[in-house]
Amino acid sequence: MCNWLDLFWEWSGMTPEKYSTEGMNQNKGKFEDEFPFFQELISYAIDLINNNALDEVSVDEIIIIMALDNECENVLEYIVDNSSDEQTKRIIEYGIGHSQYNARWQIAELIFRRRSTDFWRYLSKLSLDNHPYVRRRALNLINQQKKV
């Protein structure tokens, strides 16, 4: 795991597993504003994308940082605009089953925005996700596509 992620988990007092089930501790506020190395964390994910990282550790780190970036969508937008088709497919395939629900809803957005191959299959799978927010986002995207 990268040092920026290690610093984040230490700063937040959380683990990736705890964040995936509980989200951010409310007393930390908006960590994208308060974590002193938030931009470095985002830059690290962008570096991995620029280097076309495909190994499991790198893709996992991209997805975890995407989850932490959450509603800011910096990582999501960068992937949409800059990742190769091969890397995008790897991120989608790995991300669909990832423990971070804040990344899975963004994976649905990535699928929709990039119109990846197997578009319907991927969104259909996320529409059955165990997290209600992921399901809702995937179903909204499916319905949006049907209207086009």
Side-chain angles (χ1 to χ4, degrees):
M1 197 171 279
C2 81
N3 288 335
W4 299 119
L5 276 172
D6 292 341
L7 283 171
F8 177 81
W9 298 126
E10 183 179 326
W11 172 83
S12 68
M14 300 192 84
T15 63
E17 295 76 21
K18 189 173 180 181
Y19 181 76
S20 72
T21 58
E22 298 176 22
M24 185 47 92
N25 185 338
Q26 294 303 314
N27 66 5
K28 284 290 185 189
K30 293 186 68 142
F31 63 87
E32 59 269 17
D33 295 329
E34 296 180 14
F35 177 55
F37 302 107
F38 187 73
Q39 285 310 314
E40 288 84 350
L41 192 61
I42 300 304
S43 293
Y44 176 71
I46 288 170
D47 287 345
L48 290 172
I49 296 161
N50 287 339
N51 292 329
N52 201 32
L54 295 170
D55 62 280
E56 188 171 327
V57 171
S58 296
V59 171
D60 187 59
E61 289 177 341
I62 291 168
I63 291 170
I64 289 172
I65 296 169
M66 178 191 287
L68 295 173
D69 188 39
N70 197 12
E71 296 291 341
C72 295
E73 298 184 17
N74 296 307
V75 176
L76 170 62
E77 289 174 7
Y78 198 84
I79 293 168
V80 168
D81 294 339
N82 298 285
S83 72
S84 68
D85 290 342
E86 181 183 19
Q87 186 182 44
T88 300
K89 184 176 181 179
R90 178 88 165 113
I91 291 169
I92 289 169
E93 289 176 347
Y94 190 81
I96 282 177
H98 202 277
S99 64
Q100 300 292 338
Y101 76 88
N102 281 327
R104 292 194 311 272
W105 74 259
Q106 292 183 79
I107 295 297
E109 283 289 333
L110 175 60
I111 293 163
F112 183 77
R113 293 180 194 183
R114 285 286 293 256
R115 299 294 199 272
S116 66
T117 57
D118 296 326
F119 170 87
W120 289 110
R121 181 174 62 89
Y122 291 141
L123 280 181
S124 294
K125 186 170 183 176
L126 285 169
S127 73
L128 302 172
D129 194 272
N130 64 353
H131 196 279
Y133 188 67
V134 176
R135 279 195 310 270
R136 186 170 60 245
R137 292 294 294 251
L139 287 169
N140 287 344
L141 293 168
I142 288 169
N143 289 332
Q144 187 175 340
Q145 177 60 28
K146 288 179 179 178
K147 292 178 183 177
V148 173

